[in-house]
Amino acid sequence: MFQGAGAGALPTASSVVADVIDLAVGRAQRTFQAMKLWAPHERGFRMRSSEGVRSRFYLRVLVKDEPGMLADVAYVLAGEKISIASVIQHEAQEDHQGGVVPLVIMTHYAETGRFRSALAKMNALPGVVPPGVYYSVDD
């Protein structure tokens, strides 16, 4: 995945399409020579582990509609040093009392590794219906 401000919609799209064409027609080794992607012992770049990348996260978990579920999820996030920016939890329909409801949370910036650890702990909570769904968000 590539991300960044870019040069604008059309120049960026043109560049991406050109790179894809180079890959498709076999010119990739020449085009990407500066990155040394195919060098046996040398890399022109270093890959950084995704665990340390900081991002905001959108999280949606299905939780049992019972008291304390929001507190349980917030406790797990706090244990991983992840701060909550906003929460949305709609109440269950009258005929679905005791069922599950979506709990949607936006976090402040946090390390991806810590977030994934928190998600694994949330998915193990008795009142959570796994798996939780998340996306990293860039402002």
Side-chain angles (χ1 to χ4, degrees):
M1 177 173 87
F2 299 103
Q3 71 181 55
L10 294 178
T12 300
S14 174
S15 177
V16 169
V17 169
D19 290 347
V20 170
I21 290 170
D22 284 345
L23 286 167
V25 298
R27 288 191 304 235
Q29 287 182 325
R30 179 177 297 152
T31 302
F32 301 114
Q33 194 171 28
M35 293 174 66
K36 301 178 184 175
L37 293 175
W38 289 271
H41 304 295
E42 185 179 348
R43 291 274 193 211
F45 62 94
R46 273 189 24 233
M47 292 293 290
R48 186 168 74 163
S49 168
S50 65
E51 299 298 302
V53 174
R54 293 178 54 80
S55 177
R56 294 181 57 181
F57 292 93
Y58 163 92
L59 167 68
R60 184 184 56 81
V61 290
L62 294 177
V63 298
K64 289 185 181 174
D65 186 27
E66 55 188 47
M69 287 310 307
L70 175 57
D72 290 348
V73 169
Y75 181 78
V76 169
L77 289 170
E80 291 293 335
K81 308 273 190 276
I82 299 171
S83 179
I84 296 173
S86 65
V87 176
I88 298 173
Q89 182 178 1
H90 296 287
E91 60 185 296
Q93 302 286 334
E94 279 296 319
D95 55 344
H96 288 90
Q97 292 296 324
V100 295
V101 293
L103 175 62
V104 177
I105 296 175
M106 281 296 300
T107 71
H108 289 285
Y109 280 88
E111 291 180 2
T112 301
R114 286 186 174 273
F115 183 82
R116 288 181 182 157
S117 175
L119 182 61
K121 292 173 185 174
M122 274 182 245
N123 284 332
L125 290 173
V128 171
V129 179
V133 176
Y134 74 94
Y135 299 97
S136 62
V137 178
D138 190 19
D139 291 325

